[in-house]
Amino acid sequence: MCCLSACRIKVLEITGYGGSFIELKQMRHFLGKLQCLETVRIGVERDGNNEHLRANLSSLHRASSECNIQFI
């Protein structure tokens, strides 16, 4: 059972994001459950296809209408 929807997390920072299937599934879960989330800062791996990663992450549903995704 997941209790993320009850968490009051406003900022989530992830480093070394590579865009694997598992990572994308986890991001979908976080964005879909964290209702108070305002900012997600994602540090992508240098070897990754940044445009593809950005497009995938930007298209995910967000539980919070205030949530902005930043790539660092």
Side-chain angles (χ1 to χ4, degrees), residues 34-48:
L34 294 171
Q35 297 176 357
C36 295
L37 196 59
E38 294 176 2
T39 304
V40 178
R41 294 185 190 111
I42 302 173
V44 295
E45 292 180 353
R46 296 185 191 269
D47 298 342

Side-chain angles (χ1 to χ4, degrees), residues 8-72:
R8 311 276 308 155
I9 297 171
K10 291 186 177 189
V11 178
L12 177 65
E13 186 166 325
I14 298 171
T15 59
Y17 186 81
S20 71
F21 177 76
I22 297 290
E23 290 172 317
L24 187 59
K25 186 176 176 181
Q26 290 171 334
M27 287 301 299
R28 182 179 296 119
H29 184 72
F30 289 142
L31 292 174
K33 298 290 183 185
L34 294 171
Q35 297 176 357
C36 295
L37 196 59
E38 294 176 2
T39 304
V40 178
R41 294 185 190 111
I42 302 173
V44 295
E45 292 180 353
R46 296 185 191 269
D47 298 342
N49 181 348
N50 290 345
E51 294 302 317
H52 181 70
L53 295 178
R54 289 173 192 252
N56 281 344
L57 292 172
S58 296
S59 68
L60 295 177
H61 168 74
R62 299 170 205 169
S64 169
S65 61
E66 301 296 319
C67 181
N68 294 305
I69 297 176
Q70 302 172 352
F71 295 91
I72 53 175

